[in-house]
Amino acid sequence: MITFRATLNVKIGVLIMLLSAAAFTWTYFMPLRSMELFIPRISLGLMGLGGFLIMLKDFLEPLEKIAEPPREKILPYLAGVPAAMWLYGWSFRNIGLLTSTFLFLTIWWAWISIRDAKRTDSLQSVTPKILKLAALALVITASVQVLFIELLSMYMPRTFLP
Amino acid sequence: MTVKKVLFVLLALTLIFSLGIMAGCEEPAPEEEPEEPEEEAVEEEPEEEAVEELEDIEIDIVVGFAAGGSNDLSARYMAEKFADYGIMANVVNMPGGMGTEAAYHVSTQSPDSNMFMWAHPLIMLFEPAAGDRGFTIHDFDPVALLASPTFCIGSRAGAPWEDMDDLVQYIEDNPGEVTLGGQGEGNMMHFIAELILDPDELDYTYVGLEGGADVAMNLTGEHVDVGHLSLAAARPLHQDGDLTVLVNTQILVERDPLMPEIPNVIEFGIDAQEPHPLALWGPKGTDPALIERLSEAMSQMADDPELIDNYEGAGMIAHYLDTDETWDFFMDVEENMIPRFKEWLEEYEARE
Amino acid sequence: MFDMDAMREAFFVVFALDTALYIMIGVIVGISVGAIPGLAHSLPIALVLPFSFVLPIHQTMGLLIGTYKGGTYGGSITAISFGTPGTSGAAATVADGYGLTKLGKGKKALEMGLYASVTGDTLSDLALIFLVVPIGMMAPRFGPAELSALYFLALSLVIVFSTENPGKGILAAGVGFFLAIIGRDILTGGLRFTFGVRYLEAGFPLVPLLIGFFAVPEIIKKIKEVIERPDDSGVIGEAAEKLLKLKEEGLTLKEFLASWRGLGLGTIIGTLLGALPGPGATLCSYTAYSVTSQFSKDVNYGKGALEGVATAEAANNATCGATFIPLLTFGIPGSSIAALLMAALIMQGIPLGPRVVVDHTVVVYTLFLLLLLANPFNLLFGKILIPVYSKLTRIPAAILWPVITLVLVIGTYALNNRPFDIVICLIAGVIGYFFKWFKLPDGPLVLSFLVTPLFEANFRQALTISRGDFTYFFTSGISQVLWIVTLATIILFVRKRRKTDADISGN
């Protein structure tokens, strides 16, 4: 028995079907020979089929058995964390490994500590805590330098700061 | 508490590491020391002062392939020798895009970065001719040429032909029967293979395998009849009777000292020697004095019996061309081969 | 065949203090670097390569083999402790290993990983020593047609992962296929789906992709927890608060032996697949892992079963010995690490090839003994490091995870000195997060990503050789057997699935 529902699963399934169908059509306008496009077309076909089956499953199964993906607020983190990681990757290559490692760790820990302190109303004891963490950051920075530069002789572009 | 413990362990580990590495480094020191004065004292009396005046420099030699291949080995042997001339050379591996990613990287460096590219015509000329790779040979200054890997054509064990002439005859007599396994399709290696056996005249099947090891494996397993691979990989299999080397395609000398009994392809009147020699390149505008110093060191290396031996073991011949000769060699390839390659590529892309 | 004198000579060379020292350094370096996410252990091997210029062969090879084995094992440590595989070979360990850590059984999992690694490794070394000739002779008989059949068999394992929700399994496999074909065509060099981005021409490299896929979602999750629920995010694992005071229990012999299926299958599959050029440790462990899932009696398999850890770890370490099989019989390196080991031997003046066993018998025996001797060292240092890592998991998340994150970023870059690898790692991370959120299985993605390039190349080569004749795929005995096994596997899995379905509805 088929019941048409617009669950999140179905929406994503349809979206995937549309995307793969579009890409599949696009392969016919590519300047590649058919042998080179053989596996890509299979892969797009599979994605489309997968999307279709996901959609179909929600149509066929009784409502109580459908497992919806969680509706949490994740987008800011999904964008923010990789962005921060990329920024760190950029900064250690262009500003300096030591400087950026130390700054990233210290800023993060300082921010977390201050937030924590505000929450628990212990702002007066936050400074020594941050200092301790900054010292820890220094130690980690030093280990990173020893590990990657001294021992693994990682290739580093010449940077502005150490 | 736990944090402290962890830090302590990290520190301890670091200590063990550095001790270990130092222990490793200590060994070479006594071996190297007696070598240096010996060499310089015997031959380079007048030049020694000049060498001493020059301070030690550090350079990076970028290799466009992963560590362990012949490309990488040749650079490492060279880097080891550079140390004798006060040049501390680090080999940096940047694999990707048949070496073109590394070449692109070096081409974008400033001329005073002391970074050099270890590259053959495949990277410098053929790849940029096949499509935009972000650089051309004219973004570089040559230093010198030092190594030339030898490639060869081998046939499977028990093949009914003895040499190149027989093979050609056999293909003519048995159209469509012979399969040639090469390294990839639509690249320089494929182009050379088709120069040797012209598909317009000979009816055989070319199959692009993934690399030298793959070709050796398929020849040994008799999945292909003829293969195009490096001489170093083919030699042990040849000696064991798993395959037969027919000709080598070395461009700089006719017979490779590794297997002097194997004729050069030119001896069969086939003009398809492979332009594969490796040269050192700096970004355009590199200090000529530095280039000269490196080139001078390389010229002396080329006569070093140890390097010659090492190169031979890895299937390469040590052959020095100075800065101008290197440029002329590459320009000759650019003028004579690249137009043919481009033409061939167009024709190849039209095939289906 | 067996040369007693050579064996004696090799024995005295290997069982000496200096050799032991170098193996020890190698194992420590290997485990430590293997446990850094993003850095594959080919990096330290490449780093110690220059030493082969100056050290005698038993020391160099002791160092390299120690690094290789330590690194292959080391990847599992972070996979189990933080769900962040240290090497791509440990990706299959994440599901069960990290699952156990979350249940507060991290120490058990770590110990199982170590014992399974050492067991699989030792058995595979023994297989190498006794079977190098027969297995070696088989390898070249796998041509493009046979390999196509073999890889098709591996791809059919995707079905295993897809039984619960076929749509999601197929979608995951499709994504894996697609990621694998981005970049330059392996044979023709044509650019596929690179969207004009120069860096994409090299495709998605395995290590940044897998590390990003598994590690970045975990990082995102942890950072989110730290920011949103600062009180609960002290340590890993929901039950960990209580466990802080409890002493964690180690693995018992009974538990170890109960995983005999996983250990056995892992070792066998790791050794056989590892002996072929191409597959590598990651594919071996995933294949073994999925095969064992069909035979395991543990209901938690895939969520936190010791047997899962045992299988994956036995399989990836079993490739260590097996890698040497094609290397010693034909001088053909089957993986990037094998190529490095081969380079080290060439630098020592040992040309590898079919005659190496005859011409350099002592060297070959030395290698065998070094391989065996490295295992106890691996066991010893693994044992020392386990308490350290099981304690590391108890560091507050707000402190621990930023450090892991930064090390991951540097490690990813350091492996190939490619800044773009970081971007690939992050893209893979976003895909990985989507997979986690939408509950897509990761097995089909990894399997199809790994097998696709191998399958595609061999399939197309076979078609070229046969000039488009499809019967070529079924001509040799090996391929016929493989196709029959594939068919049988698919039928078996489908029937098993029907049976489980019937059981569920029957209840």
Side-chain angles (χ1 to χ4, degrees):
Chain A
M1 214 200 40
I2 291 181
T3 341
F4 291 97
R5 311 188 177 89
T7 59
L8 194 55
N9 285 330
V10 170
K11 282 179 200 157
I12 292 174
V14 170
L15 185 70
I16 289 166
M17 273 163 67
L18 287 178
L19 281 176
S20 58
F24 197 86
T25 323
W26 184 40
T27 61
Y28 286 95
F29 297 95
M30 282 184 167
L32 291 168
R33 53 196 76 203
S34 58
M35 252 343 222
E36 289 172 331
L37 286 167
F38 179 65
I39 299 281
R41 285 187 186 139
I42 291 185
S43 85
L44 291 168
L46 279 178
M47 282 197 241
L49 180 65
F52 176 72
L53 287 177
I54 289 169
M55 181 184 81
L56 199 65
K57 192 172 186 300
D58 275 19
F59 288 168
L60 291 176
E61 299 230 355
L63 194 61
E64 60 271 22
K65 276 184 87 179
I66 294 170
E68 285 268 25
R71 285 170 191 265
E72 282 178 282
K73 215 176 76 183
I74 49 156
L75 268 180
Y77 297 99
L78 197 57
V81 174
M85 286 170 78
W86 181 83
L87 188 68
Y88 172 68
W90 180 86
S91 79
F92 87 72
R93 283 181 298 111
N94 291 289
I95 297 171
L97 182 65
L98 296 181
T99 320
S100 37
T101 308
F102 179 73
L103 282 181
F104 262 80
L105 286 176
T106 317
I107 291 172
W108 162 261
W109 282 334
W111 179 60
I112 284 291
S113 310
I114 292 170
R115 248 176 60 109
D116 241 22
K118 271 189 193 150
R119 209 164 40 91
T120 52
D121 253 345
S122 55
L123 265 178
Q124 62 279 15
S125 66
V126 79
T127 324
K129 198 180 167 196
I130 292 179
L131 282 179
K132 255 191 230 164
L133 284 167
L136 180 65
L138 208 59
V139 174
I140 289 170
T141 308
S143 344
V144 163
Q145 164 79 15
V146 169
L147 182 69
F148 285 96
I149 306 293
E150 308 294 333
L151 293 177
L152 297 177
S153 52
M154 177 176 85
Y155 164 71
M156 272 292 286
R158 279 162 189 78
T159 47
F160 174 58
L161 288 169
Chain B
M1 264 314 278
T2 41
V3 180
K4 270 188 197 160
K5 267 189 204 162
V6 168
L7 284 176
F8 177 75
V9 172
L10 265 179
L11 268 176
L13 266 181
T14 323
L15 266 177
I16 298 174
F17 258 70
S18 34
L19 272 179
I21 300 245
M22 270 194 274
C25 292
E26 268 167 34
E27 301 257 335
E31 276 185 45
E32 264 173 37
E33 266 173 62
E35 255 175 48
E36 268 176 58
E38 223 179 277
E39 257 176 49
E40 282 168 54
V42 179
E43 277 183 58
E44 252 69 62
E45 270 301 322
E47 261 183 64
E48 201 192 325
E49 278 160 44
V51 172
E52 262 180 27
E53 267 175 43
L54 298 169
E55 36 184 283
D56 281 7
I57 47 160
E58 213 183 317
I59 61 165
D60 292 323
I61 299 178
V62 178
V63 171
F65 298 89
S70 70
N71 212 300
D72 170 69
L73 267 181
S74 56
R76 283 176 194 270
Y77 283 130
M78 179 173 70
E80 191 212 2
K81 284 285 160 215
F82 263 135
D84 296 349
Y85 303 91
I87 300 160
M88 304 303 138
N90 311 312
V91 174
V92 183
N93 297 94
M94 291 188 188
M98 297 281 268
T100 52
E101 281 199 37
Y104 173 70
H105 177 80
V106 176
S107 74
T108 56
Q109 297 300 299
S110 82
D112 60 356
S113 62
N114 283 8
M115 184 179 275
F116 293 87
M117 178 75 201
W118 183 235
H120 41 48
L122 172 65
I123 299 175
M124 297 306 246
L125 294 167
F126 286 86
E127 281 295 316
D132 179 22
R133 302 285 185 259
F135 69 92
T136 69
I137 192 167
H138 301 281
D139 297 326
F140 293 89
D141 278 337
V143 178
L145 187 148
L146 188 64
S148 183
T150 306
F151 284 77
C152 68
I153 300 287
S155 52
R156 65 174 164 85
W161 52 81
E162 302 266 301
D163 58 25
M164 278 310 280
D165 292 335
D166 275 7
L167 171 61
V168 172
Q169 190 61 44
Y170 185 87
I171 299 175
E172 277 172 3
D173 295 346
N174 304 279
E177 257 192 34
V178 174
T179 307
L180 165 66
Q183 307 191 14
E185 278 176 36
N187 58 19
M188 180 191 108
M189 314 285 277
H190 184 189
F191 167 65
I192 297 287
E194 296 206 341
L195 280 184
I196 297 172
L197 295 172
D198 187 350
D200 291 338
E201 287 169 16
L202 301 167
D203 182 11
Y204 69 95
T205 312
Y206 177 91
V207 54
L209 301 171
E210 271 154 282
D214 204 18
V215 175
M217 197 70 149
N218 276 289
L219 268 178
T220 318
E222 304 186 6
H223 304 287
V224 295
D225 305 299
V226 187
H228 181 210
L229 69 170
S230 82
L231 192 65
R235 192 175 80 130
L237 296 163
H238 174 89
Q239 286 168 340
D240 198 50
D242 295 319
L243 56 83
T244 318
V245 177
L246 294 177
V247 285
N248 81 62
T249 57
Q250 175 60 258
I251 194 166
L252 293 174
V253 294
E254 276 197 7
R255 297 281 172 130
D256 188 300
L258 187 65
M259 289 180 84
E261 71 280 13
I262 301 301
N264 194 289
V265 69
I266 201 95
E267 294 174 44
F268 288 90
I270 302 167
D271 181 18
Q273 291 169 308
E274 255 170 272
H276 236 96
L278 285 152
L280 199 61
W281 301 84
K284 189 100 195 153
T286 304
D287 179 14
L290 177 61
I291 288 185
E292 207 191 316
R293 184 175 170 193
L294 294 175
S295 173
E296 180 57 33
M298 286 164 78
S299 89
Q300 289 176 25
M301 271 180 225
D303 297 325
D304 187 321
E306 199 192 331
L307 185 96
I308 294 174
D309 223 44
N310 285 340
Y311 271 14
E312 193 181 308
M316 285 169 287
I317 48 174
H319 190 104
Y320 171 76
L321 292 184
D322 71 21
T323 309
D324 293 336
E325 287 165 348
T326 304
W327 185 248
D328 291 344
F329 176 86
F330 276 76
M331 282 306 104
D332 186 50
V333 174
E334 188 178 38
E335 270 162 40
N336 293 321
M337 275 200 152
I338 296 302
R340 274 155 83 196
F341 174 67
K342 278 187 170 166
E343 210 174 284
W344 172 85
L345 200 63
E346 262 173 40
E347 181 257 331
Y348 162 78
E349 269 160 13
R351 286 183 215 169
E352 175 82 53
Chain C
M1 195 67 209
F2 188 76
D3 185 342
M4 199 57 215
D5 288 337
M7 185 49 120
R8 196 175 299 128
E9 201 179 317
F11 186 86
F12 284 117
V13 167
V14 171
F15 287 89
L17 201 64
D18 61 326
T19 319
L21 181 75
Y22 279 95
I23 297 183
M24 191 180 86
I25 296 171
V27 168
I28 297 175
V29 171
I31 296 183
S32 318
V33 175
I36 297 174
L39 279 180
H41 49 306
S42 53
L43 182 70
I45 295 183
L47 280 171
V48 291
L49 197 59
F51 290 123
S52 46
F53 281 123
V54 286
L55 298 180
I57 187 154
H58 57 282
Q59 294 179 352
T60 318
M61 290 316 286
L63 195 61
L64 291 175
I65 289 173
T67 315
Y68 181 23
K69 296 203 165 193
T72 310
Y73 158 67
S76 74
I77 299 179
T78 36
I80 294 169
S81 302
F82 315 118
T84 305
T87 55
S88 53
T93 316
V94 171
D96 283 299
Y98 193 48
L100 283 163
T101 301
K102 283 190 199 153
L103 296 170
K105 291 183 187 163
K107 196 171 173 208
K108 267 187 206 293
L110 283 168
E111 289 190 349
M112 178 53 108
L114 176 63
Y115 297 148
S117 292
V118 175
T119 311
D121 208 332
T122 311
L123 292 175
S124 138
D125 293 342
L126 290 173
L128 161 74
I129 294 170
F130 292 107
L131 301 175
V132 61
V133 179
I135 296 185
M137 294 328 268
M138 281 296 285
R141 294 180 61 186
F142 282 79
E146 291 78 13
L147 286 172
S148 303
L150 180 73
Y151 295 135
F152 192 84
L153 172 60
L155 278 178
S156 71
L157 291 171
V158 167
I159 298 173
V160 179
F161 289 104
S162 320
T163 43
E164 269 178 38
N165 190 336
K168 287 187 174 174
I170 289 172
L171 175 61
V175 176
F177 269 109
F178 191 76
L179 291 176
I181 53 99
I182 288 175
R184 275 181 181 225
D185 184 286
I186 16 174
L187 297 176
T188 62
L191 298 177
R192 297 194 287 191
F193 298 92
T194 56
F195 309 103
V197 180
R198 185 185 314 287
Y199 293 110
L200 272 180
E201 287 175 17
F204 275 64
L206 172 68
V207 177
L209 180 96
L210 281 193
I211 306 285
F213 184 81
F214 286 97
V216 175
E218 201 54 41
I219 290 172
I220 294 175
K221 197 175 136 212
K222 287 292 162 193
I223 302 284
K224 179 174 186 294
E225 269 178 30
V226 168
I227 293 175
E228 289 187 353
R229 292 181 292 143
D231 290 328
D232 319 338
S233 65
V235 283
I236 293 179
E238 288 77 36
E241 292 276 330
K242 283 170 248 156
L243 282 166
L244 267 174
K245 302 211 173 61
L246 285 172
K247 201 171 173 330
E248 255 188 75
E249 276 175 39
L251 187 75
T252 60
L253 184 67
K254 207 176 150 202
E255 285 170 323
F256 179 70
L257 292 178
S259 303
W260 61 273
R261 280 189 202 85
L263 288 168
L265 282 171
T267 308
I268 293 169
I269 291 172
T271 308
L272 292 181
L273 274 184
L276 290 172
T282 317
L283 182 55
C284 292
S285 58
Y286 258 96
T287 309
Y289 183 75
S290 52
V291 171
T292 310
S293 71
Q294 293 306 299
F295 296 101
S296 175
K297 301 261 185 280
D298 196 329
V299 284
N300 283 325
Y301 198 90
K303 290 171 213 114
L306 284 168
E307 191 156 24
V309 177
T311 315
E313 282 305 306
N316 71 31
N317 261 66
T319 57
C320 286
T323 306
F324 281 86
I325 293 177
L327 205 59
L328 290 179
T329 42
F330 293 99
I332 290 166
S335 61
S336 56
I337 288 177
L340 284 168
L341 294 168
M342 184 169 162
L345 284 167
I346 292 174
M347 284 184 179
Q348 294 282 353
I350 313 290
L352 287 173
R355 296 192 52 82
V356 73
V357 185
V358 185
D359 295 344
H360 298 277
T361 318
V362 180
V363 173
V364 173
Y365 286 163
T366 308
L367 285 180
F368 288 167
L369 291 176
L370 284 172
L371 280 166
L372 281 175
L373 189 63
N375 295 328
F377 277 102
N378 212 347
L379 186 66
L380 180 72
F381 287 101
K383 197 95 179 105
I384 293 173
L385 283 173
I386 283 178
V388 179
Y389 273 90
S390 57
K391 285 204 181 88
L392 269 179
T393 55
R394 298 182 183 173
I395 296 176
I399 297 196
L400 180 67
W401 283 88
V403 180
I404 294 184
T405 312
L406 296 197
V407 171
L408 178 92
V409 175
I410 312 177
T412 306
Y413 166 74
L415 182 63
N416 281 327
N417 305 314
R418 258 175 57 120
F420 194 72
D421 279 356
I422 300 174
V423 179
I424 285 178
C425 179
L426 297 176
I427 295 173
V430 173
I431 297 175
Y433 200 94
F434 174 74
F435 267 56
K436 253 193 177 165
W437 174 77
F438 201 49
K439 298 214 165 45
L440 294 174
D442 55 43
L445 175 119
V446 180
L447 262 183
S448 56
F449 178 78
L450 288 168
V451 179
T452 303
L454 301 166
F455 174 75
E456 185 186 16
N458 284 290
F459 180 74
R460 283 164 54 184
Q461 284 158 357
L463 274 185
T464 314
I465 291 177
S466 70
R467 296 195 165 192
D469 179 5
F470 277 88
T471 57
Y472 182 66
F473 288 102
F474 308 100
T475 42
S476 82
I478 295 177
S479 23
Q480 283 162 4
V481 170
L482 286 168
W483 286 114
I484 291 169
V485 173
T486 310
L487 207 65
T489 316
I490 295 174
I491 292 172
L492 178 84
F493 290 154
V494 171
R495 282 185 59 176
K496 214 174 158 199
R497 157 96 179 129
R498 285 237 180 103
K499 205 171 154 244
T500 351
D501 273 2
D503 284 353
I504 291 168
S505 41
N507 289 342

